């Protein structure tokens, strides 16, 4: 997912349109895609990336050479604070993984400065995050238990109405929720399928749980149904929902 999260990070940062000189907090920063995009596309005063997964923080620290960025092992429930708060508290592709989204948004708000921006961006799993949508739809025809693992079912928060309600209940104002689309291009079926064999994440874990026969049926079903361009490439849309609100 890393290559698509880097692409999305850039578009999310430009959608946010945060002025230069702002102190940022990136919650659930993972390997630092968003923190790096913030440094490349805005002029932040500082960026703190936090994530409870220490190996990801270690990776992010080793990857970033920007003196404005620091990465700390911390998560929702113990977000890093700064005197005066952060002007922008954000989160990319992580909100739906937090144990309690309401508490997370309230805490994001509480570490923000007055008039600061709280924001998040999540995949539209149930509809136009097409390469995963097609995967789970094909999996459901092969195996009825797949539905329970489908992120489209598991994460109802990844919908514009739910996100808007969440931000409203977090006492944010001037709330806006928009779609951000990227194109995910796979050079061949192998390029599409290979990442599903990696074992990490819901879909790859599901593939790893299948016996050889079912895995072959699923792969064949996808190979037969994915749309191909004249040169054999598979181009799909991946839509995400970006939401923001202001601390009044
Ligand atoms: C799909 S990854 C997204 C990572 C990164 N933002 C990106 O776009 O590449 C979700 C991240 O949320 C983090 N996460 C899970 N629970 C968390 C929590 N309670 N507080 C903060 N981060 C959390 C995970 O460790 C993981 O790095």
């Amino acid at each position: 997912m890393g290559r698509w999260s880097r692409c999305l990070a850039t578009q999310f940062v430009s959608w946010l349109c945060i002025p230069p000189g702002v102190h940022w907090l990136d919650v659930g920063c993972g390997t630092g895609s968003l923190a790096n995009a913030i440094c490349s596309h805005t002029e932040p005063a500082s960026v703190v990336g936090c994530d409870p997964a220490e190996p990801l923080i270690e990776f992010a620290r080793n990857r970033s050479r920007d003196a404005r960025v620091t990465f700390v092992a911390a998560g929702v429930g113990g977000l890093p604070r700064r005197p005066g708060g952060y002007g922008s508290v954000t989160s990319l592709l992580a909100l739906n993984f937090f144990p309690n989204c309401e508490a997370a948004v309230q805490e994001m708000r509480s570490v923000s400065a007055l008039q600061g921006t709280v924001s998040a961006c999540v995949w539209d799993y149930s509809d136009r995050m097409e390469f995963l949508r097609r995967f789970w739809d094909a999996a459901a025809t092969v195996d009825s238990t797949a539905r329970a693992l489908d992120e489209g079912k598991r994460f109802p928060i990844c919908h514009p109405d739910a996100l808007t309600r969440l931000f409203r209940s977090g006492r944010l104002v001037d709330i806006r929720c928009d779609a951000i689309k990227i194109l995910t291009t796979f050079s061949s079926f192998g390029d599409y399928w290979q990442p599903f064999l990696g074992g990490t994440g819901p879909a790859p874990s599901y593939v790893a749980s299948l016996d050889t026969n079912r895995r072959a049926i699923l792969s064949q079903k996808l190979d037969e149904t994915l749309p191909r361009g004249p040169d054999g490439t598979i181009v799909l849309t991946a839509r995400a929902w970006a939401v923001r609100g202001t601390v009044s």
Side-chain angles (χ1 to χ4, degrees), residues 3-248:
R3 58 178 155 164
W4 312 124
S5 121
R6 282 191 290 280
C7 253
L8 184 64
T10 307
Q11 291 211 36
F12 178 46
V13 168
S14 38
W15 177 82
L16 280 171
C17 221
I18 303 287
V22 165
H23 295 281
W24 290 69
L25 176 65
D26 171 8
V27 182
C29 65
T31 55
S33 304
L34 180 58
N36 290 329
I38 292 163
C39 288
S40 308
H41 300 282
T42 74
E43 292 291 333
S46 69
V47 184
V48 176
C50 72
D51 198 292
E54 302 233 10
L56 299 183
I57 289 296
E58 198 54 39
F59 183 97
R61 275 191 196 127
N62 291 335
R63 188 168 78 164
S64 172
R65 296 277 170 269
D66 195 305
R68 296 168 294 182
V69 188
T70 47
F71 291 102
V72 294
V76 172
L79 292 181
R81 293 180 176 263
R82 73 175 299 281
Y86 301 91
S88 177
V89 179
T90 190
S91 186
L92 178 68
L93 303 179
L95 184 70
N96 50 296
F97 294 107
F98 299 158
N100 179 336
C101 295
E102 286 80 14
V105 169
Q106 277 166 26
E107 191 181 353
M108 288 168 79
R109 181 187 189 278
S110 78
V111 299
S112 298
L114 202 60
Q115 297 303 319
T117 303
V118 175
S119 61
C121 186
V122 292
W123 290 124
D124 177 14
Y125 290 109
S126 66
D127 192 2
R128 300 295 306 281
M129 195 326 173
E130 288 181 344
F131 78 78
L132 273 182
R133 190 65 270 126
R134 283 175 175 270
F135 172 87
W136 287 118
D137 289 348
T141 67
V142 173
D143 165 17
S144 60
T145 66
R147 277 279 173 230
L149 301 167
D150 178 345
E151 288 107 328
K153 289 264 179 299
R154 283 170 50 217
F155 299 133
I157 192 61
C158 298
H159 185 278
D161 295 344
L163 290 167
T164 303
R165 271 198 304 274
L166 175 70
F167 270 46
R168 205 174 285 140
S169 72
R171 290 189 298 122
L172 294 155
V173 299
D174 298 334
I175 296 164
R176 190 170 152 187
C177 186
D178 287 328
I180 297 182
K181 286 183 202 162
I182 62 167
L183 284 183
T184 53
T185 302
F186 303 91
S187 56
S188 60
F189 179 70
D191 189 29
Y192 172 89
W193 180 242
Q194 198 60 36
F196 288 105
L197 303 179
T200 309
S205 306
Y206 169 73
V207 172
S209 75
L210 295 175
D211 60 34
T212 316
N213 186 38
R214 284 198 167 183
R215 197 178 305 168
I217 294 172
L218 175 57
S219 139
Q220 190 183 346
K221 173 112 193 151
L222 282 162
D223 197 5
E224 283 167 4
T225 52
L226 285 167
R228 302 295 209 288
D231 58 354
T233 56
I234 300 165
V235 183
L236 299 168
T237 296
R239 183 166 72 180
W241 296 112
V243 61
R244 58 178 291 164
T246 303
V247 180
S248 68

